[in-house]
Amino acid sequence: MEKEQYQQLEQSVTPKPPYFKNVAKAFFVGGIICTVGQAVSLFYIIFFNFTEATAGNPTVSTMVFFAMILTGFGLYKKIGQFGGAGSAVPVTGFGNAVISAAIEHRSEGLVLGVGGNLFKLAGSVVLFGVVSAFFVALIKYILVTLGVVSW
């Protein structure tokens, strides 16, 4: 059987993925996560007198913590299997990635297992965030120093 014939046979028997259903589930799960995040933000604003501008940092920390707890109990994996990208795109996906690597390597010990692999999946995200923040701050400094922008 030639390569083209095999590819045609493969395409004829491979089921078509339910794109609309997958997008709807991702939108639903991502929306629920963001709604919980908004509720946490309002909690900080109402009960701890944060402003909308200052409630962001504790809200992000709380959502990452929630994701880590759910991952520890094995629930975030089920949410991810149902919602796909809807569970990975919000900041909770970062918390899940960090704690998943730590849980996976816990049998190797605390230092080499958990500590060495904690940021294996999320390390590139942290690195990219730090490097891009540095360059944005550098560009801002140069523009303010030159008088192009007043800050």
Side-chain angles (χ1 to χ4, degrees), residues 109-126:
L110 287 177
V111 175
L112 295 177
V114 175
N117 294 295
L118 190 63
F119 289 105
K120 186 180 243 180
L121 296 174
S124 58
V125 175
V126 173

Side-chain angles (χ1 to χ4, degrees), residues 3-87:
K3 185 177 180 179
E4 295 96 23
Q5 290 175 330
Y6 178 78
Q7 287 177 346
Q8 289 174 352
L9 177 63
E10 180 185 16
Q11 288 176 356
S12 67
V13 296
T14 302
K16 301 291 182 215
Y19 292 117
F20 182 76
K21 180 180 172 185
N22 291 344
V23 168
K25 289 193 308 187
F27 182 79
F28 177 73
V29 170
I32 293 290
I33 291 172
C34 291
T35 302
V36 171
Q38 184 64 40
V40 169
S41 181
L42 290 174
F43 174 79
Y44 283 120
I45 291 170
I46 293 169
F47 292 107
F48 293 101
N49 295 324
F50 281 91
T51 65
E52 285 188 31
T54 59
N57 291 338
T59 300
V60 168
S61 300
T62 304
M63 293 302 291
V64 169
F65 178 74
F66 285 164
M68 289 178 170
I69 295 296
L70 290 174
T71 301
F73 287 118
L75 298 174
Y76 205 86
K77 182 176 182 178
K78 293 178 184 177
I79 294 169
Q81 287 173 341
F82 176 78
S87 67

